[in-house]
Amino acid sequence: MACRNIEKSEKVHNEIIARTNNPNVHLMQVDVSSLKSINQFCDLFKSRFPQLDILIHNAGYFNHGAKYLKSSDGVEMCFATNVLGPFYMTN
């Protein structure tokens, strides 16, 4: 599990382990809107695991009508989270 907010994700992480009786569910932090965070995540992932079999991008951001926000890389937040980040992580 790759999640932006570890504290919020730990409950779901533990629930998945309990319901599946599978202790091999790992929780790692990544902010898909940040290229630096994606690089750190990918480096850590590759150091822990020999391969990746399946990648499901489930991050999403949409803030209709709100103030225009930019990611830490200066990219519009919706585009950074929904398009650029997943594309960059996949590559």
Side-chain angles (χ1 to χ4, degrees), residues 37-62:
S37 180
I38 292 170
N39 282 326
Q40 290 171 338
F41 168 82
C42 290
D43 288 345
L44 183 59
F45 183 92
K46 288 188 274 186
S47 74
R48 289 185 179 178
F49 306 102
Q51 69 186 39
L52 174 67
D53 296 316
I54 298 171
L55 176 61
I56 300 171
H57 290 289
N58 193 37
Y61 176 83
F62 185 73

Side-chain angles (χ1 to χ4, degrees), residues 13-87:
H13 175 243
N14 292 332
E15 185 177 324
I16 290 170
I17 291 172
R19 287 187 180 203
T20 63
N21 198 28
N22 180 0
N24 296 314
V25 178
H26 304 275
L27 177 60
M28 297 172 61
Q29 186 173 18
V30 65
D31 178 352
V32 181
S33 73
S34 165
L35 301 180
K36 179 181 177 182
S37 180
I38 292 170
N39 282 326
Q40 290 171 338
F41 168 82
C42 290
D43 288 345
L44 183 59
F45 183 92
K46 288 188 274 186
S47 74
R48 289 185 179 178
F49 306 102
Q51 69 186 39
L52 174 67
D53 296 316
I54 298 171
L55 176 61
I56 300 171
H57 290 289
N58 193 37
Y61 176 83
F62 185 73
N63 202 0
H64 181 70
K67 180 182 170 191
Y68 180 86
L69 298 175
K70 290 185 178 182
S71 71
S72 58
D73 300 303
V75 178
E76 190 274 323
M77 187 65 82
C78 186
F79 184 77
T81 304
N82 301 330
V83 179
L84 183 61
F87 177 80

